[in-house]
């Protein structure tokens, strides 16, 4: 069985308020995207598909893949305007039986989490990394009045990798788009939603998604304050 990692780096990074797209920003001497690629390069996955902004393919080939010697990066392809479109392009380019879809903006992906996801996807066909929610989460209305408090013991914060049987998620995308060609890709904020809504098991039933223990260090770098946490995590890892 072959595994493909799909590393997403086609976002605009607007919330970072920096001139340079955030995936190429410096984090302790390396571009942010280096870390997720290095984790998969070191892991047992068979190939890496890197999804980047249109126009960045040559730059990434030279400045990221060749510069750091990422031999498993088989293909660098263009993403779309929404994350789910980038994922779809990645799935079409991947050749593995299983795909591990990962945000390039999550640099602290451990070998333990990759290993757990590889085992889980063989067993369940659809599995997502997650950590138990530590905060109290409330729902509010448009005027900011609290409408309910959710039961924290049942809540999980979803991370990536999200891992799927490639055929299952590829068919799920096709079904969603054929049933509703105008289906808003923007509403699909997470890959599991595509499989929950459009996926079918061989017997026609809806697939179930297994939550797999992620890692609280596996944060996504989104806004400038995340860089502060990111540097602290790297410093702590170096001190080990
Ligand atoms: O926007 P958000 O922080 O949720 O993006 C998560 C990941 O998806 C980032 O690594 C980003 O580069 C990627 N992405 C993408 N294509 C898009 C939007 C986001 O590959 N159109």
């Amino acid at each position: 069985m072959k595994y493909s990692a799909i590393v997403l780096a086609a976002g605009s990074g607007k919330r970072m308020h920096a001139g340079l797209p955030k995936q190429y920003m410096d984090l302790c001497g390396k571009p942010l995207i280096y870390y997720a690629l290095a984790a998969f390069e070191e892991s047992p996955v068979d190939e890496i598909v890197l999804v980047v902004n249109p126009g960045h393919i040559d730059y990434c080939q030279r400045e990221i893949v060749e510069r750091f010697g990422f031999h498993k990066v088989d293909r660098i392809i263009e993403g779309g305007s929404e994350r789910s479109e980038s994922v779809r392009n990645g799935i079409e380019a991947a050749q593995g039986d299983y795909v591990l879809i990962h945000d390039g903006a999550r640099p602290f992906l451990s070998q333990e989490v990759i290993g757990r996801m590889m085992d889980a996807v063989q067993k369940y066909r659809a599995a997502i990394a997650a950590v138990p929610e530590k905060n109290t989460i409330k729902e509010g209305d448009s005027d900011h009045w609290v409408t309910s408090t959710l039961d924290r013991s049942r809540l999980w914060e979803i991370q990536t990798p999200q891992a799927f049987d490639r055929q299952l998620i590829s068919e799920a995308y096709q079904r969603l788009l054929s049933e509703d060609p105008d289906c808003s890709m923007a509403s699909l904020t997470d890959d599991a939603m595509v499989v929950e809504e459009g996926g079918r098991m061989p017997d026609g039933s809806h697939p179930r998604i297994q939550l797999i223990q992620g890692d609280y260090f596996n944060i996504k770098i989104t806004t400038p304050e995340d860089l502060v946490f990111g540097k602290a995590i790297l410093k702590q890892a170096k001190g080990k």
Side-chain angles (χ1 to χ4, degrees):
M1 288 298 190
K2 287 207 159 165
Y3 291 84
S4 306
I6 298 173
V7 176
L8 301 170
S12 60
K14 276 194 213 103
R15 286 168 291 179
M16 190 55 84
H17 305 297
L20 193 67
K22 78 172 169 190
Q23 48 275 36
Y24 313 123
M25 275 176 64
D26 180 274
L27 180 61
C28 299
K30 302 259 175 35
L32 180 61
I33 187 66
Y34 162 88
Y35 296 93
L37 292 171
F40 283 116
E41 180 80 20
E42 196 188 309
S43 81
V45 303
D46 299 280
E47 62 161 17
I48 302 170
V49 175
L50 175 59
V51 188
V52 303
N53 296 103
H56 290 185
I57 292 184
D58 290 344
Y59 173 82
C60 285
Q61 177 65 34
R62 215 177 43 244
E63 296 300 325
I64 310 286
V65 175
E66 286 168 19
R67 178 171 163 211
F68 296 106
F70 290 130
H71 303 293
K72 288 189 183 175
V73 177
D74 240 32
R75 258 143 298 141
I76 308 179
I77 59 160
E78 281 187 8
S81 55
E82 300 296 340
R83 184 184 177 285
S84 55
E85 290 172 37
S86 299
V87 171
R88 187 156 188 244
N89 294 356
I91 291 167
E92 278 175 10
Q95 292 179 336
D97 304 284
Y98 300 116
V99 289
L100 273 71
I101 302 164
H102 185 65
D103 293 331
R106 290 185 190 269
F108 311 114
L109 173 61
S110 69
Q111 295 303 312
E112 289 77 14
V113 171
I114 296 177
R116 284 201 285 276
M117 297 313 300
M118 290 176 72
D119 290 344
V121 72
Q122 275 226 24
K123 199 164 163 193
Y124 303 109
R125 302 186 74 207
I128 59 181
V131 285
E133 179 55 55
K134 291 198 253 187
N135 299 297
T136 295
I137 307 284
K138 291 184 190 285
E139 270 186 345
D141 66 15
S142 54
D143 294 323
H144 298 190
W145 296 108
V146 170
T147 51
S148 65
T149 303
L150 305 178
D151 173 7
R152 188 166 65 188
S153 67
R154 293 166 59 85
L155 295 179
W156 294 76
E157 189 183 318
I158 304 308
Q159 304 184 331
T160 66
Q162 303 205 354
F164 306 94
D165 178 298
R166 181 166 59 89
Q167 202 179 338
L168 175 70
I169 189 163
S170 171
E171 287 173 4
Y173 265 106
Q174 277 164 22
R175 185 170 292 105
L176 283 185
L177 288 168
S178 67
E179 282 171 4
D180 177 8
D182 301 325
C183 130
S184 163
M185 295 288 247
S187 64
L188 302 168
T189 52
D190 142 91
D191 314 309
M193 280 175 77
V194 175
V195 173
E196 283 162 46
E197 291 177 23
R200 296 290 178 278
M201 296 303 265
D203 65 1
S205 64
H206 279 272
R208 300 202 319 151
I209 318 265
Q210 181 74 19
L211 293 159
I212 300 296
Q213 183 74 39
D215 184 342
Y216 286 108
F217 285 125
N218 182 20
I219 61 168
K220 187 169 69 166
I221 306 286
T222 306
T223 53
E225 59 270 25
D226 296 329
L227 281 174
V228 178
F229 298 125
K231 284 179 190 152
I233 293 171
L234 273 182
K235 210 166 152 192
Q236 189 257 9
K238 279 185 190 153
K240 270 186 187 168

